[in-house]
Amino acid sequence: PPQRTYRARAILDLANPARSTPTHDTIARHAPTPPVPAIFSAGQLMPLMLPIAIDSPQIARLLLPAFAPLGLMPISSPSTSSATGYTHATPHTGPAVGLPPPGIDPNAIKLEPGSVLSVPLAFGDLDMSATGTVTEVLPDGRVLAFGHGMFSQGALAVPMATGFVHMVIPSIASSFKLGGYAAIQGTLVRDENTAVVGTPDTLYTTAPAKVTVHFTDQEPITYNYEIVHHKRLTPFIASALVLQSVLAKTAPPLESTVRLSGTLEFDGNRRLTLDTLLANPSPRDLMVQVLPIATVMTSNPHRSMALQSLDLTVEIEPVLRAATLLNARIDRPQYTPGDTIGITIDVQTYSKPITQHHLKLPIPSGLTDGDYELIICDTPTYAQLMLDGRPHLKNPSSADDLAKTVQMLLDIPDDAVFAVLQSPEPGLAVSHQELPHLPSSKRAIFDTPTNTTATPYTQWVQKTFPMGLVVQGKARFTIPIHKTTPP
């Protein structure tokens, strides 16, 4: 719903599909479908998918639309759970999570024809790996595997690991196996229609991810992961790891408030700070807090900026901090420049009586006479007002501008009410530089039919009122502001 996805939609709009930018939706539509060999079932040719074990059925269902076009089939498997506590001194050796079959030394497993070849996409306190089969190991150490493509994208750089299979699930529709990785042995470097090719060299890169989960009635738990760099999959993997961390021990209470805060760092020392408050979030709500940020930074018209690190804290409080803005009133029918608008709002907090809040919005003394629109609104409405009223923000001209606009959207607080006084007189922005209150003579220099860098935008006066609640609702007034009171 728009109230839950306004920030995600606004961020993804920055990677405009009209400019052939692959957002997560266009990636899913245009990603290559794995070619034959295929199995024949119910009169349909079914592509041969690589199973990838996901701990939670909810997460597996959420990832299916993104992973399936890339030839990956998310399978719900508790073997990926981080509850075993089985860890190793080095992050690249041994099973990250889940134990191998009894009596098996994970470091003794070798890649050989017919053995498991695992592709860890995330590892550490969770094993998220795709499972296939080795075809041949050449004398120089190169490995041929799968007998079909993985993504069929040509050049590749993802880990290649030994692995094991816990169970094979036979099915006429689509058989699959549940397994995990044992020890990383090198890198898959080619991904063709007929096979993948691996080398013993370590050519892949990863991004460290730390997620701390704090239920207010429990001690905080910190999970550490490594996320493999892959332009298409990294955003989905990062968001899935956040959700997996939250659900690792128990689900949030039925009535809860979740604060997601921390940093995501990308190439070029571009660090984005996230601080989001969610009332009664669903698993999908949690995923779309991280997914659009990583997607637009890795897939945009300017520069693909790989994720370098992720450090997030999820605080879960068993109280629903939600409210509805019911009514609003202003203290006078008209004002003069320099006055203060007194606003009273009625707020219905969840499971509590209606309360009144008194807000004050100062009017600048230099405003010109006219009828101004006053909007009292929630966070989604304010974000939409900002993007609709300032169209130049939707067209960043560089990677730095893109990062700044994303951060601006992330900085809008979720637990506040906004008072916005819109001017009938538009301002002018040249590229991203706003030029308010330009004299008509100077405005005519920039705003010409031969210049497309100048964009009109809505000028306004605004003030943010922290509420400590996720408020929904809005109210509008049209108020006259004149230097002298009309007769």
Side-chain angles (χ1 to χ4, degrees):
Q3 287 287 117
R4 297 281 187 172
T5 57
Y6 71 92
R7 188 178 275 119
R9 294 171 188 273
I11 290 174
L12 288 174
D13 279 347
L14 299 176
N16 191 341
R19 290 183 285 186
S20 302
T21 302
T23 65
H24 71 296
D25 288 327
T26 58
I27 285 170
R29 285 197 300 270
H30 300 297
T33 300
V36 292
I39 63 173
F40 188 79
S41 173
Q44 298 290 328
L45 282 174
M46 303 287 291
L48 191 60
M49 310 285 277
L50 287 178
I52 179 169
I54 306 293
D55 182 62
S56 163
Q58 292 175 305
I59 303 176
R61 285 194 297 269
L62 290 174
L63 291 178
L64 181 60
F67 280 19
L70 297 173
L72 299 176
M73 179 171 60
I75 300 297
S76 175
S77 169
S79 64
T80 65
S81 170
S82 55
T84 62
Y86 190 89
T87 58
H88 285 257
T90 58
H92 299 283
T93 305
V97 216
L99 296 174
I104 299 297
D105 178 4
N107 296 308
I109 303 175
K110 295 183 179 180
L111 293 173
E112 56 188 3
S115 71
V116 171
L117 186 142
S118 190
V119 184
L121 299 175
F123 48 90
D125 284 333
L126 173 141
D127 173 8
M128 187 182 292
S129 55
T131 305
T133 305
V134 175
T135 304
E136 182 63 281
V137 179
L138 303 179
D140 61 3
R142 285 181 297 164
V143 177
L144 306 179
F146 293 0
H148 57 85
M150 185 166 63
F151 311 128
S152 298
Q153 69 177 53
L156 192 66
V158 297
M160 173 182 69
T162 56
F164 50 86
V165 173
H166 285 296
M167 183 181 295
V168 175
I169 310 297
S171 168
I172 295 177
S174 179
S175 299
F176 61 90
K177 47 187 174 278
L178 296 177
Y181 90 92
I184 295 177
Q185 299 288 319
T187 307
L188 290 183
V189 294
R190 296 295 301 178
D191 177 13
E192 306 295 350
N193 287 345
T194 54
V196 294
V197 181
T199 174
D201 303 317
T202 302
L203 303 174
Y204 63 88
T205 55
T206 63
K210 181 172 74 171
V211 182
T212 300
V213 180
H214 185 199
F215 287 82
T216 54
D217 58 345
Q218 303 175 21
E219 289 295 318
I221 303 175
T222 298
Y223 301 96
N224 292 281
Y225 312 103
E226 294 287 331
I227 303 174
V228 173
H229 283 164
H230 188 280
K231 186 174 180 179
R232 290 180 175 177
L233 290 178
T234 295
F236 295 97
I237 295 170
S239 54
L241 290 181
V242 173
L243 182 53
Q244 173 58 48
S245 302
V246 174
L247 300 177
K249 298 295 183 182
T250 182
L254 291 177
E255 295 181 356
S256 62
T257 302
V258 175
R259 182 176 291 277
L260 179 61
S261 60
T263 58
L264 295 90
E265 189 164 346
F266 297 87
D267 282 346
N269 295 319
R270 295 175 176 89
R271 176 172 294 191
L272 298 177
T273 303
L274 175 67
D275 189 0
T276 302
L277 193 69
L278 302 167
N280 245 16
S282 68
R284 190 185 301 268
D285 295 334
L286 287 169
M287 281 194 68
V288 299
Q289 305 310 310
V290 177
L291 176 59
I293 302 172
T295 298
V296 79
M297 295 296 283
T298 57
S299 299
N300 64 78
H302 309 290
R303 175 184 173 186
S304 178
M305 295 164 278
L307 180 68
Q308 295 299 311
S309 66
L310 179 150
D311 186 351
L312 297 175
T313 298
V314 186
E315 299 173 89
I316 302 159
E317 182 183 10
V319 176
L320 181 53
R321 300 193 178 278
T324 302
L325 194 161
L326 299 176
N327 304 295
R329 298 175 295 280
I330 55 177
D331 58 351
R332 288 157 52 188
Q334 56 188 33
Y335 298 87
T336 60
D339 283 348
T340 296
I341 304 174
I343 307 163
T344 301
I345 59 174
D346 297 331
V347 175
Q348 173 71 71
T349 304
Y350 179 78
S351 75
K352 291 184 179 180
I354 297 174
T355 57
Q356 288 189 347
H357 298 261
H358 301 284
L359 319 177
K360 293 184 177 181
L361 178 64
I363 302 174
S365 57
L367 284 191
T368 57
D369 288 2
D371 291 335
Y372 289 73
E373 186 171 22
L374 173 65
I375 304 171
I376 318 299
C377 63
D378 55 21
T379 301
T381 303
Y382 175 77
Q384 194 62 52
L385 285 173
M386 177 176 291
L387 292 175
D388 289 346
R390 287 167 159 75
H392 53 282
L393 297 178
K394 296 182 181 180
N395 296 292
S397 57
S398 66
D400 287 333
D401 280 345
L402 174 71
K404 289 177 184 178
T405 305
V406 172
Q407 186 62 66
M408 178 201 69
L409 291 167
L410 296 177
D411 286 342
I412 303 174
D414 294 291
D415 54 349
V417 166
F418 302 84
V420 179
L421 184 65
Q422 293 186 333
S423 171
E425 179 186 349
L428 197 67
V430 178
S431 294
H432 270 224
Q433 181 64 47
E434 294 183 0
L435 304 174
H437 310 299
L438 275 180
S440 57
S441 56
K442 292 185 177 180
R443 183 185 182 93
I445 297 175
F446 299 104
D447 192 9
T448 67
T450 59
N451 181 10
T452 62
T453 62
T455 308
Y457 73 92
T458 303
Q459 299 185 98
W460 66 39
V461 178
Q462 71 97 19
K463 189 171 181 180
T464 304
F465 300 93
M467 301 291 290
L469 300 164
V470 180
V471 179
Q472 293 186 13
K474 59 185 176 182
R476 293 175 179 264
F477 303 90
T478 299
I479 58 175
I481 297 178
H482 298 276
K483 292 184 175 63
T484 57
T485 304

